[in-house]
């Protein structure tokens, strides 16, 4: 799987939008971009994923650049409970089965009151 | 999303002993995965468990140290054998509930003295 690059840490004020960048310049055409977060040693929580189109769900929005070499996860109104380590992962989806995830170091997002 | 439980949630063990961790899912899944998260580190995939076949181990992990069972489509166990303090970690199982998204259990926190 392609590697991703994320800033090690970010701060964001409570109530503001948190924008978390991720670079995946070597992504292949059949690799999806996934975002997970891990709150204080709990199991990682799935947030969102996408292939080439922008995606939105109840938790967040995912913006993928046209060349797919980078993406941004947007938490529209960050709360203190959004403080966590956020992982950007690229993963091949082969259709007939699935592989495990390769986690990088992620971004430690700290929401400030 | 899948409901995934793990037992035990935490344990303290003596070196040289073995611990078996259970992972139960609320519905049938094809693939189950086991990860390790060492203190202060990201998650690392240990192995993939497919029902009816032997588990597939990642580089650096061997069956003698981490034997895995997958007796049916809702259950798997991971055994950490002949433990040493270096095995102190969080062990997590995950499943592909849909073919594109992976969900994680709460983890088992292991401390080896």
């Amino acid at each position: 799987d392609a590697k991703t690059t994320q800033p090690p840490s970010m701060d964001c004020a409570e109530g503001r939008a948190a924008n978390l960048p991720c670079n995946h310049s070597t992504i292949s055409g059949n690799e999806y971009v996934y975002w997970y977060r891990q709150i204080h040693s709990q199991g990682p929580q799935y947030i969102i994923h996408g292939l080439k189109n922008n995606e939105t769900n109840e938790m967040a929005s995912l913006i993928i650049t046209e060349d797919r070499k980078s993406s941004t996860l947007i938490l529209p109104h960050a709360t203190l409970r959004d403080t966590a380590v956020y992982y950007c992962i690229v993963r091949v989806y082969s259709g007939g089965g699935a592989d495990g995830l390769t986690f990088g170091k992620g971004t430690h997002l700290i929401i400030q009151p | 999303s899948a409901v995934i439980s793990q037992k035990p949630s935490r344990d303290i063990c003596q070196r040289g002993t073995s611990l078996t961790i259970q992972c139960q899912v609320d519905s049938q899944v094809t693939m189950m995965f086991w990860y390790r998260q060492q203190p202060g580190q990201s998650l690392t995939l240990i192995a993939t468990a497919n029902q009816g076949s032997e588990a597939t181990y990642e580089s650096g992990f061997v069956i003698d140290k981490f034997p895995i069972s997958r007796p049916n489509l809702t259950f798997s166990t991971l055994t950490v054998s002949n433990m040493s303090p270096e095995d102190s970690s969080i062990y997590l199982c995950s499943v592909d509930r849909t073919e594109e998204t992976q969900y994680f259990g709460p983890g088992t926190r292991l401390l080896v003295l």
Side-chain angles (χ1 to χ4, degrees):
Chain A
D1 287 359
K3 292 184 178 179
T4 62
T5 304
Q6 300 178 251
S9 65
M10 293 181 62
D11 288 350
C12 180
E14 188 178 18
R16 304 296 293 271
N19 296 275
L20 291 87
C22 179
N23 286 324
H24 30 80
S25 59
T26 60
I27 192 170
S28 300
N30 62 346
E31 288 181 314
Y32 285 73
V33 179
Y34 284 79
W35 284 84
Y36 283 80
R37 72 181 182 183
Q38 188 174 28
I39 298 173
H40 190 54
S41 296
Q42 297 177 18
Q45 178 187 22
Y46 165 79
I47 300 173
I48 199 167
H49 76 284
L51 182 62
K52 55 178 76 172
N53 297 323
N54 297 338
E55 302 288 345
T56 296
N57 63 20
E58 65 279 4
M59 288 183 66
S61 295
L62 173 60
I63 308 299
I64 303 174
T65 58
E66 191 169 344
D67 63 7
R68 301 209 323 123
K69 293 185 177 182
S70 65
S71 60
T72 301
L73 178 74
I74 301 172
L75 307 178
H77 304 287
T79 71
L80 298 178
R81 288 179 293 181
D82 292 321
T83 293
V85 178
Y86 288 76
Y87 296 100
C88 170
I89 299 167
V90 293
R91 179 195 194 195
V92 173
Y93 168 55
S94 62
D99 299 325
L101 300 175
T102 301
F103 285 80
K105 297 184 184 300
T107 295
H108 187 194
L109 176 66
I110 299 172
I111 306 301
Q112 305 282 0
Chain B
S1 63
V3 176
I4 306 169
S5 61
Q6 288 185 232
K7 291 182 181 179
S9 59
R10 61 180 65 237
D11 208 342
I12 301 173
C13 300
Q14 297 298 317
R15 69 176 67 204
T17 63
S18 297
L19 176 71
T20 295
I21 301 167
Q22 300 178 5
C23 180
Q24 179 76 51
V25 191
D26 66 340
S27 62
Q28 294 182 342
V29 293
T30 303
M31 309 290 282
M32 296 181 77
F33 305 88
W34 287 97
Y35 293 79
R36 180 178 73 181
Q37 187 172 28
Q38 295 176 300
Q41 303 297 312
S42 186
L43 282 78
T44 301
L45 180 66
I46 298 173
T48 301
N50 196 355
Q51 196 270 335
S53 61
E54 284 198 9
T56 302
Y57 288 82
E58 297 298 305
S59 175
F61 298 95
V62 295
I63 188 172
D64 289 347
K65 176 67 175 177
F66 298 102
I68 289 170
S69 77
R70 183 77 201 276
N72 57 54
L73 292 173
T74 63
F75 187 78
S76 178
T77 67
L78 169 76
T79 299
V80 186
S81 303
N82 188 24
M83 288 184 287
S84 68
E86 292 71 32
D87 294 319
S88 298
S89 297
I90 301 173
Y91 292 87
L92 300 111
C93 69
S94 72
V95 303
D96 268 329
R97 179 60 181 268
T98 68
E99 290 181 332
E100 291 182 3
T101 306
Q102 200 166 119
Y103 296 96
F104 286 80
T108 295
R109 286 149 187 79
L110 172 61
L111 176 63
V112 183
L113 302 177

